[in-house]
Amino acid sequence: MEAALMSAATGALQPILGKLATLLGDEYTHFKGLRKEIKSLTGELAAMEAFLLKMSEEEDPDVQDKVWMNEVRELSYDMEDVIDDFMQSVGDKDEKKDGFLARMKNSLGKMKARHRIGNEIQDLKKQIIEVGERSARYRSREGFSNTANASIDPRALAIFEHASKLVGIDEPKAEIIKLLTEENFRAPVKQQQPKIITIVGPGGMGKTTIANQVYQELKGQFMCQAFISVSRNPDMMNILITILSQLDKNGFVDTKAGSIQQLLSNISNFLVDRSYFVVIDDIWKKEAWDVIKYAFPMTSCGIIITTTRIKDVANSCQLTFSGHIYNIRPLHIVHSRELFQRRLFNSKEDLPTYLEKVSDEILKKCDGLPLAIIAISGLLANIERTEDIWNQVKDSIGHALERNPTIEGMMKILSLSYFDLPPHLKTCLLYLSIFSEDSSIKKNDLIRRWIGEEFIHNEGRYTAHEIGERCFHELLNRGLIQPGMTDKYGKVKSCRVHDTILDFIISKSIEENFITSLGVPVLTNGIQNKVVRRLSLHSNQGNSAITTSGLVFSHVRSLNVFGNSARIPSLEQFRHLRVLDLKHCHQLEDDNLGNIVRLLQLRYLNLKSTRICGLPEQMGRLGCLVVLDLRGNHMMKELPTSIINLGKLSHLLVDNHVKFPDGIAKMQALETLKDVAFSVQPMDFLWGLGQLKNLKNLSLDLDFEDALFNGYPIVVRQERNKAIVSSLCKLGTQNLRSMDWISFIQEPLCVPAIEKLINFYLATPQIPKWVMTR
């Protein structure tokens, strides 16, 4: 049976109920004396879980209920840690012991464990009762009732792309272009100051979209171009490197970063005799502009567009080069209707007449805010199209927009969209608050994080990753995340979170103690005496020292480190860790990995692009590990032999020079295996690969021209070829759905058609014969 879901609403209550049921099973019959207490505790927790789920649908519970909900969630995490420790200790003692003294010691250990868990269960039950007595428990109440979600319209993503970028921007776009091209503000010539326009307005008004549309139309008239986002906590070194790399696409590879002063000098010298068009998006502080402005020579032929929410920043930009400020306006009601209707209906549909009045009333509350219209239409797209239901939505928006039609009103609408989500989607959305502003979040990496956190799991014939894909696209369709990069087939490969939505989910995460972020000044201030559950460490501008005083880390479940200069905390204090992401941590060395093998609850481990040479031989102890990402570690040559004992490992990602030990056939949980080069693998691997019956995604590198075709005798070549073909034949009749095939072999392999294959990427001078037979 799959593990129960972790949830932002109910904490660890679902997993606890599943583990208590396990303690009542046959495996733990020697704990008979505890069964009565466990059953009583289970009943109490089940009632609490049901109540928490009901309360999580209320947009504005009273303060007393909020306190009670937080106390129960916090207690649930501690309870799961206690139960996990107990089950682990019993599991260790169940191993066969040789010798009389060893067996006696084992029996005494079990007795102590049974006594300890008995006391702890009684103590937990006592705490639950005390929490309940401090609040009016299980009060029945009526609130907004969510209509069951309709199926997601598959065209919603395309409509979102079109609506958010095009509707209502023609007029402001034309006005800005006119300002840039009028006689006293035309495309600049030499010996002029650069021309600058600053677009200012609240978040979600479309500043970036308009700036980008002007940029796309005019950039071809200039010798070089750049478009960069600054964000609230800018890494100035990275911003200047990005500007230089976009402007000087050919020469940048030979340029050393140096200091900020050196980068400013390099950019300025490069631009002094060139025409350029640069967009500096989302500036929050005058101090950031006061650095960036020195990249642009005072006499040069350039155009600069800046965007900001803050008038003081806009004034500062304007004064630098005597430019213009363009105040962005809300959408006209005509454009609001157009955006609203395009988001909800295809080109062949019209708004039903019986919904026209309520639609106008909803749009009146949105007051021309594009993001608010997108958010509310995303909500309406998933409920029944009746006047009564839409009136309920309208009435639930409240009156905040009528009082203050800016950020407060938009937050209210975002709140309504958030509370319409089912619990697992709320949790998946809140988790995005671990990322910093303007992050490009890769879809597959995000889904694997969700899996590691136990937010999603297998459901029937669908794998956890497939469920994650559905969650990702549902958040896209609702307009709560924005599409980023796409592949050549138009499939979204990454996303980003709009600043306003990020502000909202950060506030919710803090309120529910779901995520704690350190290294982000606006979020770090005031954090003290707090038990941390999920920790996100951000290191910017080379500042590796992050204050952690006053925080309790002994119950941290997730540790995510961002920034290659971050100082990695000792893992000894994180013994209940489930998720560990140290991607790009250049300070990570092999010595830091010794304590990883003690993290017995670890489910997700990302060591991508660090500087480690190998993994500890005891890696096989991590029996809960589901995701392991080791890509980008060029000094790692092979995996430890114990890795084949990771019976739950579903996603394994390595570089193509990494050698596997014998025994790959034991890893039956594997669904994803990337990027494997056959040339370095032993024969056991080549034969055993075909026995992985659950493998769905495989990335192969068959480029072993030197090693295989020149280094091996012909008999060995034939035997290895036979093993490869045999394994691919077997995989083709099982569950393989996606395969990347990279090969520069001059001698083609003859492989039968892989009948269930859905995605196939081929990089080879010769097409395999089986491809031509499909």
Side-chain angles (χ1 to χ4, degrees), residues 361-396:
E361 290 172 346
I362 289 172
L363 289 175
K364 183 179 178 182
K365 291 193 172 188
C366 292
D367 201 40
L369 299 173
L371 183 62
I373 296 170
I374 290 170
I376 202 67
S377 59
L379 168 64
L380 293 172
N382 295 283
I383 64 176
E384 192 177 351
R385 293 177 181 175
T386 68
E387 187 176 5
D388 288 341
I389 296 299
W390 281 33
N391 270 310
Q392 288 183 42
V393 172
K394 179 204 69 175
D395 294 336
S396 298

Side-chain angles (χ1 to χ4, degrees), residues 233-359:
N233 297 292
D235 182 342
M236 295 307 302
M237 179 73 75
N238 185 57
I239 287 169
L240 295 174
I241 289 173
T242 304
I243 292 175
L244 183 56
S245 68
Q246 291 187 30
L247 292 171
D248 186 10
K249 295 179 175 62
N250 297 321
F252 176 72
V253 292
D254 301 321
T255 303
K256 293 184 180 179
S259 64
I260 288 178
Q261 291 80 2
Q262 184 61 49
L263 282 167
L264 289 169
S265 177
N266 290 345
I267 297 170
S268 181
N269 291 337
F270 179 79
L271 293 178
V272 71
D273 58 355
R274 292 175 172 88
S275 63
Y276 59 89
F277 192 157
V278 177
V279 176
I280 308 295
D281 183 46
D282 198 22
I283 306 174
W284 282 76
K285 297 177 181 177
K286 290 191 293 184
E287 291 80 0
W289 173 248
D290 286 341
V291 174
I292 295 171
K293 68 183 181 183
Y294 289 109
F296 306 107
M298 288 299 294
T299 54
S300 58
C301 53
I303 283 181
I304 306 164
I305 294 180
T306 60
T307 74
T308 182
R309 302 182 186 190
I310 302 166
K311 290 183 178 180
D312 285 348
V313 174
N315 291 331
S316 179
C317 295
Q318 177 200 21
L319 292 173
T320 303
F321 298 116
S322 301
H324 285 279
I325 292 179
Y326 185 86
N327 289 286
I328 195 166
R329 300 182 298 272
L331 290 178
H332 188 274
I333 186 61
V334 173
H335 294 135
S336 294
R337 288 195 189 109
E338 184 182 2
L339 173 57
F340 184 73
Q341 293 184 33
R342 286 192 181 185
R343 183 72 174 89
L344 283 167
F345 306 97
N346 63 32
S347 58
K348 297 180 180 179
E349 293 178 297
D350 292 319
L351 179 70
T353 55
Y354 62 87
L355 293 177
E356 287 179 356
K357 181 180 177 182
V358 65
S359 296

